Amino acid sequence: MHRVAPFKTPAFWPALLFSITLLFLQGCSLLSKQKEEESASTPRPVAGADKEDAGKEKKESHDAFSLEVEAPDRVRDYLIRHLELQRYRQIDDLGAAELSRLMVAAEANARELLGTLGYFTPTITLELKETPDAPAPREVKVTVVPGEPTLVSLVEVNFSGAVAEDAAGEAQRNAVRAGWSLRPSVPFSQEGWDNAKTGGLRTLTAKRYPTASVKSSRADIDADTARAQLRVAYESGPAFRFGQMLVRGSDRYSPVNALRIARLPTGEDYDQQQLLDAQQRLASSGYYDSVFLTLDTEGTDPQAVPVIAQVRDAPLQKVVLGVGFTTDNGARVSLDHTHNQMPLLGWRAVSRLQFDQKTQLVNTQWTDVPGERAWRWFTGAQLKRDTSGDYEVDSARLRGGMSTSTDHIDRSYFLQYDNAQNKGVGAPPSASALTLNWGWTGRYFNNNAQPTSGYGVAVELGAGYTLTGERLPFLRSYGRWLGIFPLEFTADSAARRSRIALRAEAGAVTASERALIPTTLEFLTGGDNTVRGYSYQQIGVTNAIGQTVQGRYLGVGSIEWQRPFVYKGQLTDWESVVFVDAGSVADKARSLRPKVGVGAGARWKSPVGPVQIDLAYGVDVHKLRIHLRLGFNF
């Protein structure tokens, strides 16, 4: 197999090693400083004090009493956490008489706490025992028979203000009543009562009525019958509509650009989610380091209420050095440069220089500010050297067109030039082509960063002509889909439910056999995000001399069972997965033969995004591989 000499960076590795050494020495100095501070803050023994005195002092430090609560688990745990008697345990000189007086107050405190759980007729017994042989000299035992839980027998939810008068408010009134969590026959608790009122208010303020409030609320408890009657009245205030957005705090970038990026629907009914979406679009645009949108509801016309955008400008230029590692390509070093307002054009330019064991690339993407209809012009260029299959490819790509992004959908139209120079014995012929492309991506996940349900779909279509050899037309189509479906029967909480994740990917290049298609437009698969158990782009077409090359047809499928990990009844940030992947590449659709990978792994919800760790077995290659991945992208 012919290999091209690796990309040399004679000055980079010494610099990287020197930087790592400096960081290590700095960490050691900080650690030493921390140890010195801890030593300084630790009391030193007085000169002349012997070990016997120190041991005696430690032995004499103990709790004044121990506390035992005998009750049903839910009641027991709640009392242990919240009984005021707990505060006095560490007073080591607390006498028996003082403790007896505290126990009288403890009974009233326990009744009050049980009332918040909906138990208004409990039987409570408190006992004080001398325990001279135990670590604590006394023991307080609280025995609780909670009695019958109080059930909700009546719920009345009333409204005043514009929501009660407007025909458009009927939908929200119905939504508040339908979403009321403390329904008749449900056990009453103070926490449940508070949550129900807050949930109703949240539903009311989410649309049209941002100044709504709880006008009055009353819970009538009949302890004899263990029944609760609940009444709450909401005052909605006026209905609001979005007015003009006012940008404050920005000196570097045009307020008009902020309005176009935010796309706040001026003149429409207030919607909290639309306000948050506009804030997110501004925050992710790259022009601002911080963004906070608020509705100015004081002293203004409710039908055109201003939206205040308090922003802090991002630097005009930014350079980021990155170091990473993937199981597909090994160690990675990257340098990113961002220019938020290019001279003359005023566009935003994002450029990257990246090196890893298999890929070296430099690219740049220039993007205009969105126009009034949210479409923006863009152009980009890329030079790349990549180990593709069993040979190396030097490729160049130029593209330009228009794109738009809405809340869930991205669309684009662009013209693209591709040139692929293939190197190595048995490599396909070098080729170039020009294509006109359309792309559409829809994301309908409950959380785009760490989804637990929903689906996403992406489609790309391109029509082009080859520019090398005989000029022939061709069509390129590609699609992928991911669906995440909770399994209802696995747990009572949505966060605890197991999930099934289904993934599908397909592609085709339709052309004459004589057409020389750039290999960058054809397909390979295998690796972290495709068929696990195989190395990066290991699955392709086997040529006459046994090498792996790109093919014109692609098919990939995956099924994965995701199960949240619960420890001692508490939901953790970990979950386990088992999966089966299959994929194939061929030059003819009928020749697709799937290669299968099976395995298991774990997911961790880290502060910077989900971390994926998988151990997979490639059935066709009879090898185990570890796959690591950070973050979720679709």
Side-chain angles (χ1 to χ4, degrees):
M1 179 177 65
H2 177 73
R3 297 188 61 85
V4 179
F7 191 91
K8 295 182 180 180
T9 53
F12 172 76
W13 292 111
L16 177 61
L17 180 60
F18 179 69
S19 301
I20 293 174
T21 305
L22 285 178
L23 291 172
F24 176 77
L25 292 176
Q26 184 179 7
C28 292
S29 65
L30 291 173
L31 183 61
S32 301
K33 183 177 180 181
Q34 181 182 3
K35 289 183 176 179
E36 292 175 1
E37 292 175 352
E38 290 176 354
S39 300
S41 62
T42 303
R44 299 177 179 271
V46 180
D50 55 22
K51 295 182 179 179
E52 182 179 355
D53 291 340
K56 182 178 179 181
E57 181 180 356
K58 183 177 180 181
K59 182 178 179 182
E60 289 178 351
S61 178
H62 53 68
D63 288 345
F65 60 92
S66 62
L67 178 62
E68 179 184 354
V69 178
E70 185 176 316
D73 290 344
R74 175 171 176 260
V75 173
R76 177 182 179 276
D77 294 342
Y78 188 76
L79 291 178
I80 288 176
R81 287 198 307 269
H82 298 290
L83 271 174
E84 292 185 3
L85 194 60
Q86 291 276 27
R87 297 189 307 172
Y88 302 95
R89 288 180 61 179
Q90 295 183 351
I91 302 178
D92 51 10
D93 60 347
L94 188 67
E98 295 169 322
L99 183 55
S100 297
R101 288 194 294 270
L102 289 174
M103 289 173 62
V104 175
E107 180 178 359
N109 178 225
R111 289 186 181 278
E112 182 180 352
L113 292 173
L114 290 169
T116 65
L117 296 178
Y119 298 101
F120 293 95
T121 57
T123 301
I124 303 174
T125 305
L126 286 88
E127 299 177 73
L128 178 60
K129 298 180 182 179
E130 298 289 336
T131 54
D133 297 330
R138 300 174 185 86
E139 178 188 74
V140 176
K141 183 177 180 180
V142 182
T143 304
V144 177
V145 179
E148 290 294 324
T150 299
L151 303 180
V152 176
S153 62
L154 174 69
V155 176
E156 288 185 3
V157 181
N158 298 310
F159 301 90
S160 60
V163 70
E165 302 165 0
D166 298 344
E170 182 179 1
Q172 275 180 269
R173 299 197 302 269
N174 293 337
V176 172
R177 293 188 173 109
W180 187 263
S181 57
L182 209 56
R183 298 175 178 275
S185 301
V186 172
F188 172 86
S189 69
Q190 185 62 45
E191 182 181 11
W193 174 223
D194 292 339
N195 289 342
K197 291 186 292 184
T198 302
L201 183 61
R202 189 179 295 116
T203 301
L204 200 56
T205 57
K207 294 182 179 181
R208 303 187 76 240
Y209 310 105
T211 59
S213 61
V214 177
K215 184 178 181 180
S216 63
S217 65
R218 182 180 179 88
D220 293 320
I221 307 297
D222 188 337
D224 294 333
T225 61
R227 293 293 182 266
Q229 295 184 350
L230 309 180
R231 295 176 175 85
V232 61
Y234 292 103
E235 166 60 45
S236 69
F240 285 83
R241 291 180 180 271
F242 286 121
Q244 187 67 30
M245 190 177 81
L246 306 177
V247 182
R248 297 177 179 174
S250 178
D251 299 322
R252 182 174 291 124
Y253 308 116
S254 169
V256 175
N257 293 350
L259 297 178
R260 291 179 177 177
I261 294 170
R263 301 200 307 274
L264 197 70
T266 303
E268 294 186 10
D269 287 338
Y270 167 81
D271 188 318
Q272 186 181 61
Q273 188 58 52
Q274 289 185 336
L275 190 69
L276 293 175
D277 290 343
Q279 179 174 291
Q280 180 59 36
R281 284 190 285 268
L282 285 171
S284 59
S285 67
Y287 290 99
Y288 307 103
D289 284 340
S290 68
V291 179
F292 188 64
L293 266 59
T294 57
L295 202 67
D296 185 7
T297 58
E298 296 183 1
T300 58
D301 179 9
Q303 296 302 301
V305 60
V307 175
I308 308 299
Q310 189 67 43
V311 302
R312 186 174 73 246
D313 288 341
L316 187 63
Q317 299 189 62
K318 181 173 64 175
V319 177
V320 177
L321 175 65
V323 179
F325 175 85
T326 66
T327 49
D328 281 343
N329 294 338
R332 180 184 70 247
V333 178
S334 62
L335 181 68
D336 294 275
H337 175 262
T338 301
H339 197 305
N340 277 331
Q341 200 165 337
M342 298 172 61
L344 302 179
L345 279 178
W347 290 17
R348 187 169 187 261
V350 178
S351 305
R352 161 167 282 213
L353 184 66
Q354 177 179 310
F355 300 93
D356 59 41
Q357 293 178 0
K358 295 184 178 181
T359 304
Q360 299 87 45
L361 70 85
V362 55
N363 65 22
T364 184
Q365 181 86 7
W366 299 359
T367 309
D368 191 11
V369 175
E372 293 182 359
R373 297 185 177 181
W375 285 87
R376 64 173 72 190
W377 292 98
F378 73 90
T379 186
Q382 175 177 284
L383 296 175
K384 182 178 181 181
R385 170 171 291 179
D386 189 22
T387 301
S388 184
D390 287 334
Y391 55 91
E392 291 191 348
V393 179
D394 289 341
S395 63
R397 172 171 290 176
L398 298 172
R399 63 166 54 174
M402 298 180 67
S403 67
T404 184
S405 295
T406 58
D407 295 336
H408 299 288
I409 297 174
D410 298 340
R411 290 177 290 168
S412 62
Y413 300 90
F414 57 93
L415 186 67
Q416 179 170 296
Y417 167 78
D418 285 275
N419 184 293
Q421 302 293 320
N422 307 311
K423 299 180 179 180
V425 177
S430 300
S432 59
L434 189 67
T435 55
L436 182 63
N437 299 270
W438 169 80
W440 186 94
T441 300
R443 302 176 185 87
Y444 301 92
F445 300 105
N446 63 336
N447 185 317
N448 285 332
Q450 299 187 16
T452 57
S453 65
Y455 68 95
V457 60
V459 179
E460 298 175 13
L461 296 176
Y465 262 90
T466 59
L467 301 178
T468 303
E470 188 177 355
R471 303 291 176 88
L472 294 171
F474 67 92
L475 295 175
R476 185 182 188 275
S477 55
Y478 172 79
R480 56 193 170 95
W481 173 83
L482 172 65
I484 303 176
F485 306 97
L487 301 178
E488 300 293 338
F489 58 86
T490 56
D492 56 352
S493 168
R496 295 169 179 255
R497 295 175 187 164
S498 297
R499 300 179 295 274
I500 291 291
L502 303 176
R503 176 166 47 88
E505 186 179 6
V509 175
T510 306
S512 168
E513 292 185 359
R514 304 190 311 274
L516 296 180
I517 308 296
T519 53
T520 51
L521 295 178
E522 295 182 321
F523 304 103
L524 288 170
T525 192
D528 297 344
N529 302 323
T530 55
V531 185
R532 289 161 287 188
Y534 299 83
S535 60
Y536 177 59
Q537 295 189 343
Q538 182 181 3
I539 301 173
V541 175
T542 303
N543 64 10
I545 61 174
Q547 292 182 328
T548 300
V549 298
Q550 283 90 343
R552 294 189 175 185
Y553 291 89
L554 165 72
V556 175
S558 173
I559 180 171
E560 181 174 282
W561 180 31
Q562 305 170 351
R563 183 179 182 185
F565 184 66
V566 178
Y567 180 69
K568 292 185 177 180
Q570 298 295 320
L571 187 66
T572 69
D573 290 331
W574 290 86
E575 60 186 33
S576 60
V577 301
V578 293
F579 57 85
V580 178
D581 298 340
S584 180
V585 174
D587 276 332
K588 297 182 182 298
R590 62 177 178 269
S591 300
L592 290 171
R593 300 290 185 271
K595 296 184 182 295
V596 178
V598 297
R603 304 288 182 271
W604 174 46
K605 295 180 181 179
S606 76
V608 294
V611 177
Q612 169 183 309
I613 308 169
D614 293 323
L615 178 63
Y617 176 73
V619 175
D620 290 70
V621 295
H622 307 291
K623 290 183 179 180
L624 283 171
R625 291 186 65 87
I626 294 178
H627 296 271
L628 302 175
R629 180 186 176 192
L630 173 63
F632 172 84
N633 291 304
F634 185 89

